[in-house]
Amino acid sequence: MKYKKIQLEYDKIYSYFKRTCEQFDLLEWNGKRLDVWSNDKIIETYKYKDLKVINIF
């Protein structure tokens, strides 16, 4: 099912961002776009292809 794939991708993204980025409050991933939230604001947005380039998947 699609939600399992999205969850696996999210787990990889979360692990990567937790190790390499400044603190954030929330990662919001829908399978196509990642929004990084801090203090109730989106501080960064990435597309799937951006995440592929940095070898998260």
Side-chain angles (χ1 to χ4, degrees):
M1 294 189 170
K2 187 173 182 174
Y3 72 89
K4 287 182 182 181
K5 180 179 184 235
I6 289 175
Q7 183 63 51
L8 289 173
E9 292 172 343
Y10 175 84
D11 293 343
K12 291 177 185 178
I13 292 167
Y14 183 84
S15 176
Y16 176 83
F17 274 73
K18 205 62 170 163
R19 288 181 284 124
T20 62
C21 297
E22 294 184 32
Q23 283 193 334
F24 54 86
D25 297 327
L26 174 71
L27 296 176
E28 194 171 51
W29 174 244
N30 67 7
K32 295 180 182 180
R33 188 176 102 184
L34 172 71
D35 292 327
V36 182
W37 291 80
S38 182
N39 296 320
D40 296 325
K41 294 180 184 175
I42 296 174
I43 56 172
E44 294 180 3
T45 297
Y46 299 89
K47 294 180 182 175
Y48 181 85
K49 67 179 183 173
D50 301 327
L51 299 173
K52 292 267 305 177
V53 167
I54 56 177
N55 293 319
I56 291 179
F57 305 120

